[in-house]
Amino acid sequence: MSEAVIQVQGLTTRFGATVVHRGLDLEVRRGEILGVVGGSGTGKSVLLRACIGLVRPVAGEVRLFGERLDGPAGDALRRRFGVLFQNGALFSSLTVAENVAFPLVEHLGLPRPEALELARARLALAGFPLEAAERYPKALSGGMVKRAALARALALEPELLFLDEPTAGLDPITAGAFDRLVVTLRDALGLTVFLVTHDLDTLYAACDRVAVLARGRVLVADTLARVRDTDDPWIREYFHGPRGRAAAAAQR
Amino acid sequence: MAQSQPTAPASSPGRRDDFLEVRRRADGGAVLVLRGAWVTARWRELPRALPVAAETVAALDIAQLTALDSAGASRLAALLGAQRLQALAAALPAERRALLERVAASLAAAGSPPAPAPRDLFAPLVALGRTTSRGLAHLRLLVGFLGLVLVRLGIALLTPHRLRLTATVHQMQAAGLEAVPIVTLLSFLVGAVVAFLGATVLQVFGAGIYTVDLVAYSFLREFGVLLAAILLAGRTASSFAAQLGTMKVNEEIDALETLGLDPVEVLVIPRVVALLVVFPLLSFLAMAAGLAGGAAVALVELAVSPARFLAIVEEVPVRHFWVGMGKAPLFAFTIALIGCLEGFKVTGSASSVGDRTTSAVVQAIFFVILFDALAALFCMEMGW
Ligand SMILES: Nc1ncnc2c1ncn2[C@@H]1O[C@H](COP(=O)(O)OP(=O)(O)O)[C@@H](O)[C@H]1O
Ligand SMILES: [Mg+2]
């Protein structure tokens, strides 16, 4: 059986008086694309940020590849995953190519020209049109920002990829292409993907398993077919509401 | 268990030919033998050229390849050409093929980067011309903005119900009330310094008592309003530029316009009015604080009692006070105008907000001192 790349155990997070997670458990296995869904404000982004060490849990722990990020192996661990933030978080003072080259220069000590060359290869891999590689982020469309940010997340050849609502704000065609891109990259690079999404189509097109977040816990984490048949009011509303039925129909 | 295995034949990481070798097949075709780890961490050592022409390569041998990632695959694609690599990869085992085909396909689809612009001998001259014409364009923009704000200000004053009172009062608090401590403290200190200088120089001539006049004239005419203006240029012009610039980045200003609201009326007029009201007050405060600083030094150094100090100050003709105060509205308007205009000039990135904020402070201080010098010349010629 494939090993767990992410292990979340008993995670409790809190902002002031707001408790976001109460003893949340979750496991992501090597090579799978796990979709994390839940209503707005149920703590999907916070869970992602807890996994990558940006939010400190009040209780419980997160292990990546069996190690804790705040342990001695932390810095080495950080290079083994890449993150695509919800709004891309491209550095606005650098061109797209420089954005991707930045971690290569910083972490691998590559000289600038070689880092830029490798950056262009990464951009191509993420499906970014290279004639736009010298542009600044503000001159990019939404879909291009996501692809550029994905290329930067892939810069150090990570084994694990975190994506926060990668298709939010994209048109359905661009979003569909992005879903397929994630699957192809997973197959080609052997990635493990933690994918937060609102997009039902993404769940159907890209995810191997789905975890549903509600009331501070993971209600269920299983294949889409099993999750859909779980008896819970929110899940029923989500998967069997008009949009859920449309997405399911589109998949057949 | 790894140690018990015989080590792989000499594979020192530095040598290029460790990664690549060409073997001839019986039918004359070239087989490219790949070795070692073709990965991101070894990017600089990966070969940059093939020993044979790419078209003659008939097959890939990856039996000795220990690792391959997308960086290694894209170097292979660069060596062989994307199409050739795709064709050669078809004969490989599935797990390597997926990566090679994906990389080759993506490189073929991504097109080529734009060619770098040729070097231009006249580049410095061109840059100078650009800077000059940008400066002129900025001046035109500034004058245009001045006209726009004056018109809107006129409308706002004629129809006072359109003045946004809450916003104006908020700006008064932020730019005026909250600046009181710093303006008072710095003016007091500068007043003390001027008095020290005066006492040192004038006492030599036995005219130490004129130190009081020195402090009074300089603070009433010049330093009170100038110090307040420089502090506000640093404090308020920058904050106006950063506030409006951030709103521009967030498309809030576009949103205002689409809601049928005029950004100048909503954002600029309250700031201008607030500064026009609080700046003269701050200038007055700066004058008073400067005089107090002078009085303190006069008491300690010259044994001039505060009552005597005040009596001498009262003999200074009041027009000097009005010359100083007369400049206050001009400075207030300049600071508010430049801060807001620079904010509107932000173009969408975080560094642009920083650039415009810096520019707002530099310009505001420049214009304040320029106007002050012009006003000093004018008043001297007029005999005021
Ligand atoms: N930095 C923060 N400070 C305070 N509360 C926060 C912070 N970040 C998130 N929250 C709260 O945590 C909850 C979960 O947020 P989030 O994970 O962003 O939701 P979503 O599932 O929509 O991504 C929300 O109620 C939000 O208000
Ligand atoms: Mg979120």
Side-chain angles (χ1 to χ4, degrees):
Chain A
M1 191 62 221
S2 48
E3 70 190 288
V5 172
I6 306 176
Q7 287 164 291
V8 182
Q9 269 161 14
L11 179 78
T12 301
T13 53
R14 191 167 66 200
F15 294 103
T18 329
V19 180
V20 182
H21 304 118
R22 304 164 206 274
L24 179 148
D25 298 315
L26 182 66
E27 230 179 58
V28 185
R29 303 179 197 137
R30 184 172 290 280
E32 76 173 348
I33 301 181
L34 177 83
V36 176
V37 298
S40 279
T42 47
K44 304 183 294 295
S45 297
V46 174
L47 174 60
L48 187 149
R49 294 169 72 85
C51 287
I52 60 181
L54 292 179
V55 168
R56 235 162 233 291
V58 181
E61 66 166 13
V62 176
R63 282 175 185 273
L64 302 181
F65 306 103
E67 312 252 16
R68 290 175 58 123
L69 258 177
D70 51 4
D75 282 341
L77 267 190
R78 256 170 252 278
R79 297 201 201 171
R80 294 175 69 183
F81 64 80
V83 186
L84 170 60
F85 288 97
Q86 194 161 350
N87 295 316
L90 293 173
F91 304 121
S92 57
S93 56
L94 303 179
T95 65
V96 170
E98 287 168 345
N99 257 286
V100 183
F102 184 68
L104 297 168
V105 172
E106 293 297 317
H107 281 303
L108 299 182
L110 288 185
R112 217 181 109 86
E114 303 201 7
L116 284 174
E117 185 192 351
L118 186 51
R120 281 191 282 271
R122 296 284 197 257
L123 283 167
L125 196 62
F128 186 91
L130 285 185
E131 70 264 12
E134 303 308 319
R135 288 202 210 155
Y136 284 90
K138 64 177 180 239
L140 300 180
S141 68
M144 282 158 99
V145 167
K146 293 285 161 80
R147 283 173 192 269
L150 180 64
R152 188 178 68 184
L154 291 173
L156 294 172
E157 204 81 33
E159 300 157 59
L160 171 61
L161 198 56
F162 291 92
L163 310 174
D164 196 353
E165 304 205 14
T167 55
L170 299 185
D171 68 80
I173 297 175
T174 315
F178 199 91
D179 292 340
R180 284 193 297 281
L181 176 67
V182 170
V183 176
T184 347
L185 287 179
R186 189 273 308 268
D187 294 342
L189 307 178
L191 294 169
T192 306
V193 183
F194 181 103
L195 191 160
V196 170
T197 190
H198 265 313
D199 192 336
L200 279 154
D201 292 318
T202 303
L203 289 187
Y204 282 97
C207 297
D208 303 317
R209 285 196 312 141
V210 175
V212 181
L213 241 62
R215 303 185 283 279
R217 290 181 307 109
V218 172
L219 281 188
V220 47
D222 211 326
T223 58
L224 190 56
R226 294 219 198 111
V227 168
R228 246 183 1 193
D229 297 335
T230 305
D231 186 31
D232 176 87
W234 188 84
I235 293 179
R236 219 175 299 124
E237 180 77 15
Y238 185 72
F239 285 99
H240 302 288
R243 282 158 162 266
R245 282 199 304 272
Q251 210 53 33
R252 283 189 204 111
Chain B
M1 84 183 222
Q3 294 93 324
S4 66
Q5 301 225 325
T7 46
S11 62
S12 71
R15 298 225 327 273
R16 304 247 146 129
D17 43 48
D18 284 340
F19 286 101
L20 195 68
E21 190 191 16
V22 176
R23 214 178 49 220
R24 289 283 157 192
R25 266 196 327 216
D27 62 2
V31 177
L32 204 56
V33 183
L34 304 179
R35 293 213 191 94
W38 286 60
V39 294
T40 309
R42 311 287 285 276
W43 178 251
R44 300 185 64 183
E45 302 149 25
L46 292 176
R48 296 196 156 267
L50 284 183
V52 294
E55 309 82 64
T56 63
V57 176
L60 292 176
D61 176 354
I62 58 165
Q64 300 172 59
L65 189 65
T66 53
L68 178 71
D69 68 7
S70 72
S74 51
R75 177 54 64 82
L76 258 185
L79 292 174
L80 290 165
Q83 263 90 31
R84 186 103 205 103
L85 179 61
Q86 251 173 322
L88 293 172
L92 298 180
E95 71 276 9
R96 298 283 194 221
R97 193 173 65 210
L99 175 61
L100 287 173
E101 283 183 342
R102 175 69 209 150
V103 168
S106 68
L107 280 172
S112 51
R119 272 183 89 80
D120 189 354
L121 284 179
F122 295 108
L125 211 57
V126 172
L128 178 67
R130 288 235 172 86
T131 311
T132 312
S133 71
R134 215 179 306 133
L136 289 177
H138 173 64
L139 212 59
R140 264 190 61 185
L141 198 64
L142 193 59
V143 173
F145 191 59
L146 170 68
L148 184 66
V149 171
L150 281 179
V151 169
R152 292 286 192 280
L153 192 62
I155 294 176
L157 294 183
L158 289 180
T159 50
H161 63 274
R162 289 180 62 181
L163 188 65
R164 277 147 222 280
L165 207 59
T166 316
T168 310
V169 171
H170 172 73
Q171 295 298 339
M172 283 181 186
Q173 173 175 355
L177 204 56
E178 286 167 17
V180 164
I182 186 84
V183 169
T184 315
L185 178 66
L186 288 192
S187 303
F188 182 88
L189 293 179
V190 174
V193 168
V194 170
F196 262 124
L197 273 178
T200 313
V201 176
L202 294 174
Q203 261 180 323
V204 178
F205 303 103
I209 195 66
Y210 285 103
T211 299
V212 180
D213 289 86
L214 178 69
V215 174
Y217 277 84
S218 59
F219 264 85
L220 292 185
R221 269 188 92 103
E222 299 288 342
F223 284 178
V225 65
L226 196 59
L227 272 175
I230 290 175
L231 280 172
L232 245 67
R235 219 181 151 271
T236 307
S238 57
S239 93
F240 285 1
Q243 286 164 3
L244 299 194
T246 311
M247 292 183 73
K248 183 92 186 280
V249 172
N250 288 339
E251 299 180 316
E252 291 173 49
I253 291 183
D254 298 339
L256 270 181
E257 249 170 289
T258 55
L259 290 172
L261 295 167
D262 175 21
V264 171
E265 186 187 315
V266 177
L267 300 172
V268 179
I269 297 303
R271 288 175 165 81
V272 170
V273 171
L275 272 203
L276 283 174
V277 173
V278 297
F279 186 72
L281 299 176
L282 281 177
S283 301
F284 183 78
L285 193 69
M287 289 176 188
L291 289 178
V297 171
L299 179 67
V300 175
E301 287 284 300
L302 305 167
V304 176
S305 73
R308 176 114 185 276
F309 187 95
L310 264 185
I312 301 177
V313 169
E314 268 173 32
E315 282 169 23
V316 175
V318 74
R319 69 184 153 87
H320 295 295
F321 170 74
W322 288 120
V323 166
M325 279 313 241
K327 291 183 279 191
L330 177 67
F331 289 176
F333 198 73
T334 307
I335 293 169
L337 199 71
I338 289 175
C340 293
L341 178 59
E342 289 302 309
F344 281 131
K345 280 167 70 184
V346 165
T347 53
S349 70
S351 70
S352 171
V353 177
D355 292 346
R356 292 299 112 214
T357 307
T358 309
S359 169
V361 175
V362 173
Q363 279 186 58
I365 292 179
F366 171 80
F367 278 109
V368 160
I369 293 182
L370 181 73
F371 289 156
D372 192 59
L374 290 179
L377 264 180
F378 179 75
C379 294
M380 216 166 66
E381 291 298 319
M382 298 298 288
W384 288 348

